[in-house]
Amino acid sequence: MNRRFLYFVERNFLVWRKLLIPSLVANLADPLIYLVGLGFGLGALVGTVDGRPYITFLAGGMLCYSTLNSATAEALYSGFSRLKVQRTWEGVLHAPMTVTDVVLGEWVWAAIKAVLSGSAILLIMYGLRLVHGFAPLTVLPVLLLLGLCFAGVALVMTTLARSYDFFTYYFTLALTPMSFLSGVFFPLHNLPAALQTVAWCLPLAHGASLARGLALGDPMPWPWLSVLVLVTYGLAGVTIASRLAYRRLTK
Amino acid sequence: MSGAAVLDVRGLRKLYGGRAVVDNLSFAVHAGECFGILGPNGAGKTTTLRCCLGLTNPDGGTLELGGLPVPASARLARYRVGVVPQFDNLDPDFTVTENLVMYARYFDIAARDARARVPALLEFAGLTDRGASRIDALSGGMKRRLTLARALVNDPDILFLDEPTTGLDPQARHLIWDGLKRLVAGGKTLILTTHFMDEAERLCDRLCVMDSGAIIAEDTPHGLIARLIEPVVVEVYGEGVREWAQSHARPVVERLELTGETAFCYMHDPAPLLERLGQAPELRVLRRAANLEDVFIKLTGRDIRD
């Protein structure tokens, strides 16, 4: 397998490094505010969920939600500005690089950024003493899977989009409903059975299940099926995105 | 015709929505020459270049770039090629130097080697003291020169330039031309599209005129002028020039073109016309040698293309 896509990962990494401080502050401060605000504020009303403080339950969901958001923002907004506004993709294609190299580069880079965002939540969880010991670190590969999954799906939107406005549909019609369906902010088993079935068809519920299972020790109903769902969505996404980008750029 | 063909295009055909924008196009470019593709907007110049680079798949014909079949081996062929696109796509997230170094990475050049090449590239582009500048701080001319320098990071044998000086002021154009002449003198092969006739006349060893996706003439700049157009042009301006030209000029010139309040008269011997113009002092007159622009207009007409 060729590694040319790593040049594009390198490009994105070098740009990110220039904006390291604001980027890290956003990575840490944003989720901290959410977690502490919702966790303690809403937690005071909710009390406990499945026998432990709401903030602990929420933190398990936020691990996924933050990873999803980061992968999506990078692949959609930053990806689209490199594809269309800045013509960065076009420039790279004049060198001995292919459309697939560029799409794979965006995909892997968005997933790396997503892992960083998810890791920031994990760090906060350690800081707030919501998790202990080394066992919760096993969630890191799941964060990578989640990142690859949602970056892959987002890249389909990126390669279809004609303007930034298009992404509103994706958020309103797909991501926001999925976030409320998938057991991020409240337990999935509180939903009607039909909605639970829908939720288990979507990747986020599987991500939340794996993340809580590994970070908090919750029971995981179908761990390998969950992995398979994330991998399938991610690979399908990046494959379709690659085809769409090829059609778009080699017209 | 010196050297082997480094670009060989045969029967190239490209359709968009069922309409041929490039149709049965053939030409060859030899090592070390500067080959120009002229044509009005929409003639198919950019599409032709994109096909040559393997950036779009042709609907017919065969292409060979640097001895490799395109599009099949286009990626490999591009290792030996530099591209200056029509619209700048410099990386705005990087400085001038970072743009060059990162672009070299896409050619599998180690960052250390790339950095070693930067000073010479900056000097070539006249940007020696701008290495740390942000891209949006550069003028249009500087951006074009940086794009040209970027196209040289891999020390290519062949350079493709798509309208390299469109939108630049005369000073900036002359700087680009100087750079391109130095590259040809250094043995590089240049393939450029333009709709500036002075640019083509100055730079190109050989050129072709494209219209509606086909080549309608191909020769050296002087060959085109000598073969295709009368050597002397007299331009006549002023009120009532149309009527005057129809009655007084037409009988003594070989070809007459009227546009607005100007009459373009083409001929070998201007003496009879100048004599008649002597009796019409209200008209202003410009006498000059025919140039490539006259050939271009004769071949492609005076109608506006959008």
Side-chain angles (χ1 to χ4, degrees):
Chain A
M1 163 152 185
N2 80 74
R3 296 183 195 160
R4 291 189 303 266
F5 73 93
L6 289 176
Y7 290 131
F8 204 68
V9 174
E10 178 181 329
R11 182 232 166 256
N12 288 344
F13 167 75
L14 290 174
V15 174
W16 174 80
R17 201 178 59 176
K18 300 175 85 159
L19 303 166
L20 185 59
I21 301 298
S23 177
L24 284 184
V25 169
N27 262 341
L28 282 170
D30 234 32
L32 186 65
I33 292 163
Y34 264 87
L35 198 56
V36 171
L38 281 179
F40 289 119
L42 202 56
L45 300 173
V46 175
T48 60
V49 174
D50 299 339
R52 61 174 166 225
Y54 176 66
I55 191 170
T56 310
F57 170 85
L58 178 66
M62 286 292 288
L63 267 177
C64 300
Y65 189 65
S66 189
T67 308
L68 172 162
N69 260 336
S70 180
T72 305
E74 182 68 20
L76 284 187
Y77 291 100
S78 306
F80 187 70
S81 76
R82 290 188 283 264
L83 163 60
K84 174 149 186 193
V85 185
Q86 300 181 183
R87 295 170 171 268
T88 313
W89 292 21
E90 179 195 273
V92 174
L93 294 178
H94 292 157
M97 299 272 285
T98 65
V99 174
T100 307
D101 298 333
V102 175
V103 172
L104 283 181
E106 290 284 10
W107 186 49
V108 170
W109 170 247
I112 291 171
K113 270 197 83 174
V115 171
L116 286 174
S117 297
S119 306
I121 299 282
L122 193 61
L123 200 68
I124 293 167
M125 289 167 78
Y126 275 107
L128 295 173
R129 309 205 156 274
L130 305 178
V131 288
H132 309 275
F134 291 107
L137 293 177
T138 54
V139 82
L140 289 175
V142 171
L143 299 184
L144 181 63
L145 270 186
L146 268 166
L148 289 171
C149 171
F150 287 109
V153 176
L155 280 170
V156 176
M157 300 298 133
T158 308
T159 47
L160 279 174
R162 298 290 137 185
S163 78
Y164 290 107
D165 300 329
F166 181 69
F167 301 141
T168 311
Y169 294 115
Y170 183 50
F171 277 102
T172 312
L173 301 177
L175 289 184
T176 307
M178 180 175 68
S179 300
F180 284 101
L181 270 183
S182 300
V184 171
F185 303 106
F186 45 81
L188 188 51
H189 56 68
N190 289 1
L191 291 176
L195 283 182
Q196 287 190 41
T197 310
V198 174
W200 286 115
C201 296
L202 300 170
L204 186 57
H206 291 278
S209 160
L210 288 171
R212 285 210 183 87
L214 293 169
L216 304 174
D218 285 13
M220 292 179 273
W222 316 286
W224 290 109
L225 175 70
S226 294
V227 168
L228 186 69
V229 169
L230 294 181
V231 169
T232 307
Y233 268 92
L235 283 180
V238 76
T239 307
I240 294 167
S242 192
R243 291 273 171 83
L244 289 171
Y246 183 81
R247 248 200 270 168
R248 180 175 180 147
L249 292 166
T250 64
K251 254 196 315 214
Chain B
M1 297 256 172
S2 63
V6 293
L7 174 66
D8 196 0
V9 178
R10 286 193 193 165
L12 179 66
R13 188 173 161 78
K14 176 73 187 175
L15 307 170
Y16 282 120
R19 198 175 67 87
V21 291
V22 174
D23 202 3
N24 195 23
L25 193 75
S26 299
F27 63 92
V29 180
H30 304 275
E33 75 175 339
C34 178
F35 185 78
I37 303 175
L38 306 188
N41 289 333
K45 305 187 295 291
T46 299
T47 302
T48 303
L49 288 199
R50 285 174 55 77
C51 286
C52 293
L53 290 163
L55 301 174
T56 188
N57 294 327
D59 294 297
T62 59
L63 284 155
E64 233 176 58
L65 175 60
L68 294 169
V70 170
S73 301
R75 197 189 70 79
L76 288 177
R78 289 201 298 271
Y79 275 104
R80 302 305 315 140
V81 168
V83 179
V84 176
Q86 190 173 343
F87 301 103
D88 284 320
N89 54 25
L90 294 163
D91 205 322
D93 295 325
F94 287 128
T95 64
V96 168
T97 295
E98 287 166 344
N99 257 281
L100 296 174
V101 174
M102 190 63 233
Y103 208 71
R105 299 287 291 134
Y106 302 134
F107 288 82
D108 295 321
I109 295 168
R112 172 199 293 261
D113 297 340
R115 275 191 288 272
R117 292 182 194 187
V118 167
L121 291 169
L122 289 181
E123 201 205 323
F124 176 83
L127 294 169
T128 298
D129 51 350
R130 301 307 293 259
S133 294
R134 293 171 49 92
I135 298 306
D136 54 18
L138 301 182
S139 69
M142 288 174 170
K143 282 184 196 164
R144 289 314 271 170
R145 267 138 58 203
L146 178 57
T147 302
L148 180 56
R150 190 186 70 173
L152 299 170
V153 286
N154 55 323
D155 190 22
D157 302 322
I158 310 159
L159 270 167
F160 285 86
L161 307 111
D162 195 1
E163 299 191 13
T165 65
T166 297
L168 299 186
D169 64 27
Q171 288 83 353
R173 295 177 73 200
H174 277 275
L175 268 177
I176 295 275
W177 290 341
D178 287 342
L180 296 182
K181 280 182 198 158
R182 270 187 285 160
L183 292 173
V184 177
K188 303 221 183 285
T189 307
L190 267 56
I191 296 143
L192 70 92
T193 74
T194 183
H195 44 224
F196 294 123
M197 299 306 124
D198 52 341
E199 180 162 294
E201 210 164 340
R202 232 171 261 255
L203 294 174
C204 297
D205 300 309
R206 226 153 42 83
L207 47 87
C208 67
V209 180
M210 266 185 92
D211 198 11
S212 308
I215 289 179
I216 53 179
E218 184 182 340
D219 205 334
T220 63
H222 292 293
L224 285 176
I225 296 167
R227 271 200 304 124
L228 295 175
I229 198 137
E230 305 77 7
V232 180
V233 185
V234 176
E235 296 180 20
V236 187
Y237 321 87
E239 220 172 296
V241 71
R242 285 177 164 268
E243 295 72 26
W244 184 88
Q246 292 289 11
S247 56
H248 292 79
R250 194 173 287 285
V252 293
V253 303
E254 285 151 62
R255 210 153 53 78
L256 175 68
E257 281 184 17
L258 293 167
T259 163
E261 291 298 297
T262 306
F264 291 85
C265 310
Y266 297 88
M267 70 225 87
H268 282 80
D269 174 17
L273 178 66
L274 293 173
E275 194 189 311
R276 292 183 172 207
L277 277 166
Q279 293 152 20
E282 73 281 9
L283 297 174
R284 284 177 296 129
V285 176
L286 172 68
R287 178 190 167 177
R288 59 176 174 81
N291 59 32
L292 204 50
E293 186 145 338
D294 299 307
V295 176
F296 187 80
I297 297 278
K298 182 180 177 188
L299 291 173
T300 61
R302 288 195 183 267
D303 296 336
I304 291 289
R305 313 294 178 89
D306 289 314

